[in-house]
Amino acid sequence: MTLFLQRVFDSFANGSAYAALAVAISMVFRSTGVLNLAQGQMAMLSAYIAVVFAAGADPGVAFSGWLTPFATPWPIWAAVAGAVVVSAAVGALLEYTVIRPMRGDPVPTIGATLGLYLLIGVFVVKHFGGRQRFLGSPFPQEHTDRFIIGGARLWFDTIGLTLTMLAAIGLLALVQRTTKVGLAFRAITSNRDSSALVGIRVEWVVMGGWAVAAALGGLAGGLIAGELNVRPDMMERLLIFGLAAATLGGLRSPALALAGGYLLAFAETMMAGYVGFIDSQVTLVWALGVLIVVLAVRPSGLLSRKAARKGLRT
Amino acid sequence: MTDSHEPPTPGSEPAVFRLALREAPVPHGSAAASIPIPRAGATPQAAESETPAMPGKRSAVQEADARSDSAQTAEARWPSRLTVAALVAIAALVVVVPLRASSTFLTDVTQLAAFCLVFAGLWLLTHRMGLLSVGHGALTGVGAYAALHAVNDFGLPPMLMPLAGFAAGCAVGALLGIPALRLPKAYLALLTLSAAVAFPIVLRQLDGPLPVTLDGEFIAPTWTGIAPNDEHIWEFWLVVAWVAVAFWLLHGLLTGPVGRALVATRDEPTAAATFGVSVYRLRLAGVSLSSGLAGLAGGLMLIPVNFNDQSLYPEELSIKLFALTIAFGSTAIGGSRLIMTVPAATVLVLLPVWLVDRPGWVTQGGWIGFLKSEFFLYAALLLVAAYARSRRARAVRLYEA
């Protein structure tokens, strides 16, 4: 039981990252129909930006020379926050320069997101090298910073990460429901042409959607960097799990994508823990299996059929 | 019904009435700009019909008439001059290169020939069916794995092992296609990308971290006159023969009713369904065939290389394949012709070789080295090709509206 509880706790950190990526992916997809395959790489870039901020003016880290006015190393929470802001700007810029000229044509758009996937990867390898970098966690990580629940350790770090992610996603949902900008976003998700006709600046809202999605992914990248190390390929696994989780929500429901993220992380930890022949690498394949089965059995994800039909028509 | 979620193309309705799959020509849909009209490539009418943005577009009825006239003559079946020239050039190269080239280079060229088949599969999927696969590198790996184990564990003659690769590719393609094809097109890209990332991990789990060697050799028969230590020449011709036969069969398939039906499922799925084409099944068959071609190529890879390894089919390979498919074989470069798979494969195989021969290029520091790196070149290619393609699609839409 203790071990089981421990594994449940362990899955929270990964689950938060999967959920954040899944929410970002489904947010972009439902509003614009663009499947952003570069979402994971954008989050990885964000983790590197956080490394730069946290390093201060370290000649061993590329671009840190640009920070000369703020040369002292930033605290990690500030570095992550800075990375989130820069990520949002990068997301908006990429939407404006790369995605918008494709005009929603599916083949070129997917091609463009894959181009970004390669471009960000090669950019990072070029400037930061292929080796691992270390970025601590913004939360206390001493070996005494934990609760003991039923004999299992729940680290403050895990709690902080999970709560931050949930708070960010919750804030996003709140903004969508209560503010005018959120209303505009929901309007273009529902019907893009009509939204334009009633005076919503669709292009601005879409750009904002990309920025927010990139910021969310960036937050996930910056926070999970305390768990994983910062590597150019750190997000590959996360992207696959994020895509799978987004699929559970039919690529259209951020709430289900969020649940799907935690569910997949939970299942992943359990598989790796209890099924002998599955080691932690192969759980990725298991995620792929889940994807195939879910799509085959319930193509709309966990949405009800009616909701799915409604969603697909828009 | 299958595609009710996708917005209808503006101005597409009349095409419903002009689409008669067995007799009428390929419809001028938005993406039909990229189709060479089969059997009439050299006639001036065909040249006109390949550029639908021109104001002088003839009506579909006129075109159907012209086709039924010209289809009677043998001349109309003749491929275009460019294609003939390319085929002659390739044939000449196939004879000359093995006799001149070093064995290392010839091994590269043998792989190049096999990659032509992967590109043929991708070309079918992307340009004929309007679907996206980002996992053909992994499917090639599946074919190589199946072919190798068919020989090592089940005693299949090495000469026939590409067939095992073909079967495995078809099966995995169907496995990915069955769920993905009932959903928006993005799902196939999503599933195939996942497969591309997962494949090296699966292979390491199945085969272990070390390369697995093929239990078989390809020794040239004495009638070929190839010296015993020149077996790479024999291997090259063997692969080329497989590829040529596969291309011939594929070309025959695609210029017939099946090919037209595939194009119809791309441009006018509703109309195709009305005319009795089962859109989902035909797409599934197409995806399966496309994956099978990649698998066949995977089996052929083993002929020159003789071993299989997790590092041979990383997910970057799949992305590179996709990039080159978008760039070549659409109307951007060389028109939508099957033959354009050859330059695409040439770039894929010979670009790294060419870069390695330029040590200054690869090791250069700073932004210059970045701009000259292979992945940057591919990223730029993808972005530029995607942009060009969307521009063209928009031009066609505006013209039709």
Side-chain angles (χ1 to χ4, degrees):
Chain A
M1 186 61 204
T2 304
L3 195 59
F4 175 77
L5 213 54
Q6 186 64 56
R7 285 181 175 145
V8 173
F9 293 158
D10 287 347
S11 73
F12 282 168
N14 273 342
S16 304
Y18 300 162
L21 272 189
V23 170
I25 288 166
S26 43
M27 235 180 89
V28 168
F29 187 81
R30 74 201 283 249
S31 62
T32 58
V34 174
L35 181 67
N36 185 9
L37 297 176
Q39 199 82 58
Q41 296 295 81
M42 284 158 74
M44 182 270 287
L45 181 66
S46 168
Y48 273 95
I49 296 170
V51 168
V52 172
F53 282 134
D58 180 351
V61 178
F63 299 112
S64 58
W66 294 9
L67 292 172
T68 314
F70 320 95
T72 50
W74 294 18
I76 289 167
W77 64 266
V80 172
V84 167
V85 172
V86 177
S87 289
V90 169
L93 183 73
L94 291 180
E95 196 279 331
Y96 182 74
T97 52
V98 176
I99 304 298
R100 192 178 299 179
M102 305 299 161
R103 307 266 164 181
D105 213 353
V107 176
T109 312
I110 295 233
T113 61
L114 279 173
L116 291 179
Y117 182 105
L118 286 183
L119 193 63
I120 295 172
V122 69
F123 177 84
V124 165
V125 171
K126 164 83 189 96
H127 288 287
F128 298 97
R131 67 194 174 85
Q132 299 192 0
R133 304 239 167 208
F134 178 72
L135 177 77
S137 167
F139 306 105
Q141 255 186 331
E142 298 297 318
H143 67 278
T144 50
D145 292 331
R146 63 190 184 195
F147 294 121
I148 307 277
I149 298 172
R153 284 159 297 185
L154 180 56
W155 300 97
F156 289 176
D157 183 32
T158 311
I159 301 175
L161 204 163
T162 311
L163 289 183
T164 313
M165 273 342 298
L166 285 177
I169 296 169
L171 182 71
L172 203 64
L174 199 68
V175 167
Q176 279 203 23
R177 285 189 190 276
T178 54
T179 65
K180 270 206 129 167
V181 177
L183 183 66
F185 188 77
R186 284 190 291 146
I188 67 158
T189 303
S190 162
N191 191 329
R192 199 173 164 137
D193 291 344
S194 306
S195 315
L197 287 177
V198 297
I200 294 171
R201 296 188 177 188
V202 173
E203 296 189 332
W204 282 96
V205 179
V206 167
M207 196 161 139
W210 270 75
V212 172
L216 195 61
L219 183 62
L223 290 183
I224 200 74
E227 307 277 324
L228 314 169
N229 282 322
V230 183
R231 286 198 321 266
D233 61 348
M234 65 185 272
M235 282 294 161
E236 275 170 17
R237 285 176 62 80
L238 265 65
L239 176 69
I240 301 304
F241 276 104
L243 285 172
T247 308
L248 286 175
L251 286 187
R252 288 186 176 271
S253 159
L256 281 174
L258 174 77
Y262 284 103
L263 202 68
L264 277 179
F266 173 72
E268 178 199 8
T269 319
M270 292 300 142
M271 297 287 280
Y274 289 109
V275 186
F277 60 91
I278 294 184
D279 72 13
S280 59
Q281 281 286 308
V282 184
T283 49
L284 182 65
V285 179
W286 187 81
L288 182 62
V290 168
L291 248 174
I292 292 177
V293 171
V294 167
L295 288 179
V297 178
R298 275 196 82 99
S300 51
L302 302 177
L303 283 176
S304 74
R305 283 203 187 160
K306 202 168 147 200
R309 214 172 298 136
K310 207 169 123 205
L312 287 179
R313 203 176 292 140
T314 55
Chain B
M1 184 237 155
T2 34
D3 259 32
S4 54
H5 48 268
E6 283 173 9
T9 325
S12 63
E13 287 78 10
V16 173
F17 303 107
R18 63 178 192 235
L19 181 84
L21 291 174
R22 298 198 189 282
E23 284 150 38
V26 174
H28 281 290
S30 58
S34 58
I35 312 160
I37 304 296
R39 301 182 184 177
T43 60
Q45 289 89 346
E48 185 187 304
S49 64
E50 279 179 11
T51 51
M54 279 171 64
K57 195 179 94 175
R58 296 174 305 156
S59 78
V61 178
Q62 282 174 323
E63 201 149 46
D65 291 343
R67 171 170 309 272
S68 53
D69 291 344
S70 60
Q72 307 298 324
T73 64
E75 189 192 75
R77 298 179 65 89
W78 200 245
S80 76
R81 262 176 238 159
L82 180 69
T83 311
V84 174
L87 285 176
V88 170
I90 292 169
L93 283 175
V94 163
V95 176
V96 173
V97 166
L99 305 177
R100 296 268 161 186
S102 69
S103 68
T104 332
F105 185 71
L106 193 57
T107 306
D108 286 338
V109 178
T110 312
Q111 284 184 304
L112 189 159
F115 268 118
C116 286
L117 265 185
V118 186
F119 278 111
L122 266 171
W123 177 86
L124 162 70
L125 204 66
T126 313
H127 298 306
R128 281 294 159 104
M129 300 168 61
L131 298 172
L132 295 166
S133 162
V134 201
H136 265 54
L139 289 164
T140 313
V142 166
Y145 174 83
L148 188 136
H149 286 276
V151 173
N152 283 10
D153 302 343
F154 298 97
L156 191 78
M159 220 48 125
L160 296 178
M161 72 182 176
L163 290 178
F166 180 73
C170 283
V172 175
L175 186 70
L176 295 174
I178 285 170
L181 289 174
R182 291 186 235 166
L183 296 162
K185 285 178 182 172
Y187 276 92
L188 190 64
L190 185 159
L191 264 185
T192 46
L193 179 72
S194 311
V197 174
F199 176 74
I201 300 172
V202 183
L203 193 63
R204 189 170 56 218
Q205 199 68 19
L206 291 172
D207 268 357
L210 296 174
V212 181
T213 313
L214 180 76
D215 289 342
E217 280 183 311
F218 295 90
I219 296 164
T222 44
W223 56 263
T224 54
I226 297 171
N229 54 357
D230 274 348
E231 74 286 342
H232 51 273
I233 298 178
W234 171 243
E235 288 169 356
F236 172 71
W237 278 331
L238 215 54
V239 171
V240 167
W242 270 97
V243 172
V245 170
F247 262 72
W248 180 64
L249 291 175
L250 183 67
H251 183 259
L253 184 75
L254 292 183
T255 44
V258 175
R260 287 199 288 279
L262 281 173
V263 172
T265 63
R266 176 191 71 188
D267 290 342
E268 303 289 346
T270 320
T274 316
F275 280 92
V277 173
S278 168
V279 174
Y280 169 70
R281 279 197 202 167
L282 190 65
R283 279 189 179 162
L284 185 59
V287 168
S288 192
L289 174 64
S290 165
S291 314
L293 287 171
L296 181 64
L300 292 175
M301 297 290 176
L302 288 174
I303 295 180
V305 178
N306 266 324
F307 68 91
N308 193 22
D309 184 29
Q310 43 161 335
S311 66
L312 291 180
Y313 305 100
E315 90 258 23
E316 285 90 357
L317 174 67
S318 299
I319 300 181
K320 286 186 197 172
L321 288 167
F322 180 81
L324 288 167
T325 307
I326 297 259
F328 289 92
S330 67
T331 44
I333 310 172
S336 174
R337 295 189 173 87
L338 197 49
I339 200 89
M340 291 312 287
T341 54
V342 177
T346 309
V347 173
L348 180 79
V349 175
L350 296 187
L351 180 66
V353 176
W354 187 76
L355 282 176
V356 167
D357 284 348
R358 266 149 205 78
W361 265 58
V362 178
T363 55
Q364 218 149 22
W367 286 96
I368 305 294
F370 173 67
L371 295 179
K372 288 174 175 175
S373 66
E374 192 192 3
F375 280 117
F376 176 80
L377 295 178
Y378 274 104
L381 181 71
L382 253 177
L383 292 174
V384 169
Y387 183 66
R389 203 181 145 106
S390 72
R391 281 288 294 251
R392 197 174 52 252
R394 187 152 72 245
V396 173
R397 268 207 298 274
L398 285 176
Y399 168 71
E400 286 192 338

